[in-house]
Amino acid sequence: MSNYLVAMEAAWLVRDVEDIDDAIGVAVSEAGKRLNDKDKEYVEVEVGVTGCPACGEPFDSAFIAADTALVGLLLEIDVFNADGEKHASRIAKSEVGGALRDVPLSVIDVVETESDEEEAEA
């Protein structure tokens, strides 16, 4: 059994906004509130990044059209005692998906972290 850090991307819609910064603020705030309401305050929420197709430079993952924004959020959660990366991914999606109903989620990265036993031995 191993511990993992699972990173997921969520697509968050924000209506009636005119500014990217406002859209990002609303998306992060709403996601955080819904997670906190379900006692999932251990999930880290921040705006995602997208690489520019022309130059490759990263920029905030948000787009506005017709006063409606699509904001890509990065959600990170530590999963303990999972049987492998796929198991950790399923656990993470279940934990976060239960709190963020109707929000598309996609696992983008799974990294094995040191277990408590490994840290104690070192």
Side-chain angles (χ1 to χ4, degrees):
M1 299 282 229
S2 299
N3 299 334
Y4 296 89
L5 175 64
V6 180
M8 293 174 287
E9 185 176 51
W12 200 275
L13 276 178
V14 180
R15 301 185 191 287
D16 299 322
V17 291
E18 297 176 8
D19 182 65
I20 289 286
D21 291 333
D22 290 342
I24 290 169
V26 168
V28 170
S29 176
E30 286 179 355
K33 182 179 183 328
R34 284 176 58 182
L35 288 163
N36 289 341
D37 287 347
K38 298 288 185 177
D39 296 324
K40 309 277 188 228
E41 40 296 297
Y42 48 85
V43 178
E44 294 291 325
V45 180
E46 57 189 59
V47 66
V49 293
T50 301
C52 174
C55 66
E57 287 293 313
F59 61 91
D60 289 340
S61 189
F63 177 77
I64 294 180
D67 294 334
T68 303
L70 176 62
V71 180
L73 295 178
L74 176 64
L75 308 170
E76 292 183 338
I77 181 172
D78 287 308
V79 176
F80 302 100
N81 299 323
D83 290 330
E85 289 185 9
K86 286 187 176 186
H87 187 223
S89 295
R90 286 194 308 270
I91 292 169
K93 283 184 83 169
S94 175
E95 283 286 309
V96 175
L100 301 180
R101 294 258 183 240
D102 303 322
V103 175
L105 289 175
S106 174
V107 174
I108 56 174
D109 197 18
V110 180
V111 177
E112 187 172 357
T113 58
E114 286 189 5
S115 68
D116 294 335
E117 293 172 2
E118 291 172 356
E119 290 175 6
E121 293 173 3

